[in-house]
Amino acid sequence: CICIGLFAGVMIGQVTEYFTSYSYWPVQSITEAGVTGAATVIIQGLGVGKISTVFPTIIIVATILGCNALAEEYGIAMAAVGMLSTLGVTLATDAYGPIADNAGGIAEMAEL
C-alpha cells in the first residue's frame, strides 16, 4: 500500500503540473479567453479550476478503495504515508528558495 500511495502522490503531482503549467492546454485556454475580456478569463479560470479537481479526487478514491481491499484501515494509513513521502523534498525546496534569492541579491549588491 505504501507503493500505491507513492504512485498516487506522483500522479497527483503530474496532474497538478498539467493543469498549472503554461505548457499545457488548460492554462493556455485561460489565456486565449482573455481576448474577449476579463469576465471570460474569470469564467474560464473557474471552469478549468473545477475540472482540475476531478482527477486528483479519482486518484485518491481509487487509492483508498485499493488499499482498503488489501489491508483495510491500516492499508489506507500506509497509502497516506506513501503519498506524503515526497513532501520532505518539496518542503526543503520551497524553504531554500528565499535563501538562494537573498544570497543572489547580496552577491549582486556586492558586485561579486
Side-chain angles (χ1 to χ4, degrees):
C1 286
I2 292 175
C3 292
I4 294 172
L6 178 61
F7 179 74
V10 170
M11 291 305 298
I12 290 170
Q14 294 297 322
V15 170
T16 303
E17 175 70 21
Y18 176 75
F19 279 100
T20 58
S21 174
Y22 189 73
S23 302
Y24 300 106
W25 177 82
V27 177
Q28 292 174 356
S29 71
I30 296 170
T31 304
E32 292 167 4
V35 174
T36 56
T40 54
V41 172
I42 293 170
I43 293 168
Q44 183 72 12
L46 285 171
V48 169
K50 289 182 181 191
I51 290 171
S52 71
T53 63
V54 171
F55 298 107
T57 303
I58 291 171
I59 293 169
I60 290 172
V61 168
T63 302
I64 289 171
L65 293 176
C67 289
N68 188 43
L70 291 173
E72 298 180 356
E73 292 173 359
Y74 183 73
I76 295 170
M78 289 296 101
V81 170
M83 284 186 205
L84 293 174
S85 65
T86 60
L87 184 65
V89 174
T90 306
L91 251 124
T93 303
D94 289 345
Y96 184 71
I99 295 169
D101 189 40
N102 289 343
I106 292 170
E108 190 174 318
M109 288 186 288
E111 297 178 1
L112 297 175

